[in-house]
Amino acid sequence: MKMKAAVLHAQGLPKPYAESTPYVIEEVDLEGPGPGEVLVEIRSAGLCHSDLTTMAGERARPLPFVGGHEGAGIVQEVGAGVQHLKPGDHVVMTIGGSCGVCRFCLKGKPQLCDAATQTRAEGRLPNGAMKMRLNGEPVKHYFGISAFAQYAVLTPDCLVKIDKAVPWDVAAIFGCAVATGVGAVLNTAQVRPGQHVAVFGLGGVGLSAVMGAKASGASRIIGIDLLDSKFDLARELGCTDCLRADDPELVQKVMDLTGGGVDVAIEVSGAMPALTSAWSLTAKTGEVIVVGLPKGGQTWPLDPTAMIFTEKTIRGSIMGGGIAMRDIPVYERMYLDGALQLNRLKSAEFGFDQINEGFDRLDRGEVIRQILLPHG
Ligand SMILES: NC(=O)c1ccc[n+]([C@@H]2O[C@H](COP(=O)([O-])OP(=O)(O)OC[C@H]3O[C@@H](n4cnc5c(N)ncnc54)[C@H](O)[C@@H]3O)[C@@H](O)[C@H]2O)c1
Ligand SMILES: [Zn+2]
Ligand SMILES: [Zn+2]
């Protein structure tokens, strides 16, 4: 079948993207689902900062590809052997592809699956297939998802069935922003009631972490960003305090607010100075969780002696450190019960014509989550 899709042909084009147009809206051929594959009509997709770093060329990807790694839609057709989905189901698309049998899958870490890491790097579906063509030439998949399109063929491990009560603009962001931010709190940090938490970077992922911390019963939740414009919403979603990342008194202020530092600092900006501050304002025995993706190749100095004498830990968290198929239904219930106000994260929605401008707005920090509606 033919469909409209946003294809990235080149990385590292100059800003503003509205002028250099890294995403080109193309008519792409999509092959129907084979055995173990599912055809989804995409109703909504979110724009994430990780898409921006890819556009900027900070992590090389095989080109051209159809972008987008969080989205939602309606199952149209299932291939032979697909058990848990049927036409008409509403699904969230997420980076869940995994072999199920390697040591990391068996450890409950499907996002670290060796086989899926390889197919993702090659721009294939987790089963190795490539289902899209442009002018007869193959077009790559993006993280096994490619949500900036009217339709997608995916493997069922990237699809989580959701309640039809969840509106499309909210369903769009479960796959990355919510899974990553809430998961970093619940799975990776395992925040407990009464703990003090700091979140650096109050975008879609960071604010999801703030809501996760509130739902966990954290006592102080300190939101930290370079932009004051993020603070009102952050307070409404659970921050007890908001501070500027470039405040020279930042560390001291957090020490005073928390009686010696936070139990958990979650870094969700990808900025190295934020990581340094996160480490400094974490209490002895506390933990720094690294979620924000820095520009490729950057390193960060760590003082092992300080680690010993403070017993602090630093830990990475990819896609919320959990299992999408298990966790997303939990986050969905938390949303439906009012514990996660995910509808508050939407800043705008638009069709394909505004996708490049949308990324300019995200880059300038003017928006939280913007939702692409591929059918207009
Ligand atoms: N680990 C993962 O699995 C995973 C998944 C998704 C996204 N990410 C990464 O998480 C980060 C956040 O993604 P997002 O979509 O929420 O981005 P976003 O652009 O919506 O938000 C980033 C926020 O960080 C703030 N910021 C920038 N520099 C800062 C600094 N020095 N100190 C404090 N705040 C600062 C910005 O003002 C902005 O509010 C990105 O780096 C993204 O690539 C990681
Ligand atoms: Zn993302
Ligand atoms: Zn595996």
Side-chain angles (χ1 to χ4, degrees):
M1 68 187 289
K2 300 240 179 245
M3 63 167 183
K4 263 198 210 171
V7 179
L8 196 90
H9 290 277
Q11 294 182 282
L13 294 185
K15 297 173 195 172
Y17 294 133
E19 283 170 23
S20 61
T21 62
Y23 272 112
V24 180
I25 311 314
E26 308 266 22
E27 191 149 277
V28 169
D29 290 298
L30 178 67
E31 202 185 301
E37 295 173 350
V38 181
L39 173 68
V40 174
E41 182 191 27
I42 300 172
R43 303 306 310 179
S44 57
L47 276 62
C48 173
H49 202 106
S50 301
D51 299 315
L52 257 182
T53 37
T54 303
M55 286 166 81
E58 286 160 12
R59 269 177 296 280
R61 304 282 318 172
L63 300 166
F65 64 75
V66 174
H69 62 276
E70 62 176 20
I74 307 172
V75 173
Q76 298 294 308
E77 197 181 326
V78 298
V82 175
Q83 303 287 344
H84 79 287
L85 295 169
K86 59 178 189 318
D89 284 347
H90 287 198
V91 284
V92 161
M93 304 154 75
T94 188
I95 306 174
S98 53
C99 75
V101 293
C102 74
R103 58 190 283 212
F104 304 108
C105 283
L106 293 171
K107 225 176 161 179
K109 293 283 177 188
Q111 22 2 47
L112 301 179
C113 172
D114 284 333
T117 304
Q118 180 66 26
T119 53
R120 279 201 291 270
E122 293 169 358
R124 298 173 180 277
L125 292 183
N127 65 2
M130 291 185 67
K131 309 295 291 188
M132 297 184 289
R133 289 189 167 262
L134 178 62
N135 303 324
E137 295 298 317
V139 181
K140 308 282 190 302
H141 295 265
Y142 189 59
F143 287 100
I145 311 265
S146 293
F148 298 159
Q150 292 182 313
Y151 294 87
V153 169
L154 305 93
T155 53
D157 46 7
C158 294
L159 295 169
V160 184
K161 190 175 163 180
I162 50 152
D163 197 306
K164 291 182 179 167
V166 181
W168 291 121
D169 53 356
V170 172
I173 64 169
F174 276 94
C176 180
V178 179
T180 303
V182 181
V185 172
L186 299 190
N187 294 318
T188 314
Q190 300 190 4
V191 169
R192 292 185 303 281
Q195 287 193 315
H196 298 316
V197 176
V199 177
F200 284 78
L202 302 171
V205 182
L207 290 173
S208 295
V210 166
M211 289 187 269
K214 185 171 185 204
S216 301
S219 178
R220 275 200 186 274
I221 304 171
I222 304 170
I224 300 163
D225 204 293
L226 282 174
L227 302 174
D228 300 345
S229 56
K230 306 278 170 148
F231 291 168
D232 284 346
L233 181 59
R235 283 197 191 90
E236 288 168 34
L237 296 180
C239 282
T240 54
D241 309 88
C242 286
L243 295 167
R244 282 276 297 256
D246 54 359
D247 181 343
E249 306 289 312
L250 172 69
V251 173
Q252 192 53 51
K253 284 181 180 170
V254 173
M255 289 290 161
D256 293 344
L257 284 168
T258 55
V262 297
D263 300 289
V264 175
I266 306 181
E267 202 310 286
V268 203
S269 74
M272 289 306 181
L275 192 53
T276 301
S277 301
W279 179 259
S280 304
L281 54 72
T282 296
K284 287 181 268 191
T285 73
E287 193 163 31
V288 176
I289 309 292
V290 188
V291 177
L293 282 159
K295 287 183 184 178
Q298 289 187 92
T299 56
W300 183 68
L302 182 60
D303 174 358
T305 311
M307 261 184 121
I308 295 165
F309 285 104
T310 60
E311 288 202 352
K312 287 193 215 179
T313 311
I314 181 160
R315 201 136 61 104
S317 181
I318 178 81
M319 295 304 295
I323 302 173
M325 206 70 78
R326 174 197 72 190
D327 296 341
I328 288 177
V330 175
Y331 306 153
E332 177 199 340
R333 285 198 295 279
M334 291 169 75
Y335 161 71
L336 290 171
D337 292 347
L340 296 175
Q341 297 176 60
L342 303 177
N343 53 315
R344 304 293 312 279
L345 299 185
K346 182 174 89 172
S347 303
E349 61 181 30
F350 42 72
F352 282 117
D353 57 323
Q354 279 193 53
I355 190 164
N356 290 303
E357 287 90 331
F359 278 113
D360 284 326
R361 287 192 286 266
L362 184 63
D363 189 47
R364 291 193 295 263
E366 294 168 7
V367 287
I368 309 292
R369 249 359 186 218
Q370 301 169 98
I371 309 298
L372 171 74
L373 303 175
H375 294 274

